[in-house]
Amino acid sequence: MKYQRVLLKLSGEALIGKQAYGIDPDQLNQYALEIKKVTDLGITLAIVIGGGNIYRGVQAEQSGIDRVQGDYMGMLATVINAMALQSALEKIGLDTRLMSGIKMDKVCEPFIRRRAMRHLEKGRVVIFGAGIGNPYFTTDSTASLRAIEIEADVVLKGTRVDGVYTADPEKDPAATRYQYITYSDVYQKGLNVMDMTAFTLCQENNLPIIVFDMNKPDNLLKLIHGEEIGTLIH
Ligand code: UDP
């Protein structure tokens, strides 16, 4: 196996699936099955899930809600998604723990790095909810930070697009996908991989990122086996 310990980042938006809002149960169960395929191989897996299907801090400003307040609302949204994902994973027999960046001891454990490491050693899938627990960050920054903390080999960013393109493929039909790209080329070309805070953290810590299409069955499994799909940023 190419990777032994990975951090999987899933966007909240991806959970909408065929619905207009919220969480599509089919999409959720599909993700759970894809995750099980890799944990069955003994891969150590941690997950960060976004909240964009429910709430985003930037939305708040438009509706007159204070930005910081909105960011906390967004963090709480990620906990809802994390709880849904935890339940889907447990339903198919995985051992999981949900750790939150904001203390809420009725529903999950607080994030304590040493404890997270122990869960991972025991083969539990650890889901990190509530982001970092601070406003002005995103779940991409959470993914980078937690990946470094747990000493992950790679951040796998599952999206609806199958990698990083020279231009937005939904707008420019001539856009082509990069198979590999360096951190500095991403900067120079102004490509959108993650927000800059998240991206810089990966670069400074030499943590590779793979952007790939999580909606294609077996893609996650193929990546673990070292197949070159998506775009590798290194
Ligand atoms: N958020 C935050 N701090 C964090 C993580 C998230 O303030 O550490 C807020 C922020 O407002 C963000 C929202 O939570 O917009 C939902 O997360 P994100 O937009 O990253 O979700 P995704 O786009 O992955 O669905």
Side-chain angles (χ1 to χ4, degrees), residues 33-218:
L33 289 172
E34 294 301 320
I35 289 164
K36 187 171 188 297
K37 287 178 194 168
V38 301
T39 54
D40 280 351
L41 297 173
I43 296 302
T44 306
L45 186 82
I47 305 170
V48 169
I49 187 151
N53 55 323
I54 302 172
Y55 204 82
R56 275 215 174 88
V58 282
Q59 259 171 261
E61 284 188 311
Q62 290 153 15
S63 56
I65 295 173
D66 172 72
R67 168 68 194 266
V68 173
Q69 183 87 342
D71 277 343
Y72 279 114
M73 291 165 72
M75 287 182 249
L76 296 182
T78 72
V79 178
I80 294 177
N81 286 336
M83 289 173 75
L85 182 63
Q86 177 175 39
S87 140
L89 292 172
E90 284 185 340
K91 210 166 68 186
I92 55 170
L94 298 192
D95 202 4
T96 69
R97 290 292 185 276
L98 170 54
M99 306 190 98
S100 172
I102 297 176
K103 204 169 160 207
M104 43 181 108
D105 53 16
K106 300 277 189 221
V107 290
C108 49
E109 298 176 16
F111 170 70
I112 297 167
R113 191 236 175 202
R114 283 171 187 272
R115 197 185 270 182
M117 295 302 261
R118 188 80 188 110
H119 288 323
L120 292 170
E121 274 163 25
K122 287 187 174 170
R124 295 169 181 149
V125 175
V126 176
I127 307 168
F128 297 118
I132 290 167
N134 288 310
Y136 296 104
F137 287 90
T138 62
T139 49
D140 277 352
S141 341
T142 311
S144 310
L145 178 62
R146 296 290 184 245
I148 296 160
E149 287 182 281
I150 66 162
E151 293 161 13
D153 306 320
V154 64
V155 175
L156 302 178
K157 183 171 163 154
T159 64
R160 286 174 305 180
V161 190
D162 64 345
V164 179
Y165 280 75
T166 50
D168 183 348
E170 279 164 15
K171 289 180 195 144
D172 183 353
T176 55
R177 181 171 58 84
Y178 293 102
Q179 189 165 8
Y180 310 97
I181 187 163
T182 61
Y183 299 111
S184 53
D185 277 346
V186 168
Y187 274 117
Q188 266 163 25
K189 297 180 198 298
L191 300 172
N192 186 21
V193 174
M194 285 177 162
D195 64 83
M196 279 303 155
T197 309
F199 188 74
T200 306
L201 209 49
C202 289
Q203 181 180 26
E204 285 177 347
N205 291 280
N206 255 316
L207 177 70
I209 307 161
I210 298 176
V211 178
F212 75 105
D213 181 357
M214 179 70 189
N215 290 346
K216 212 162 159 205
D218 289 337

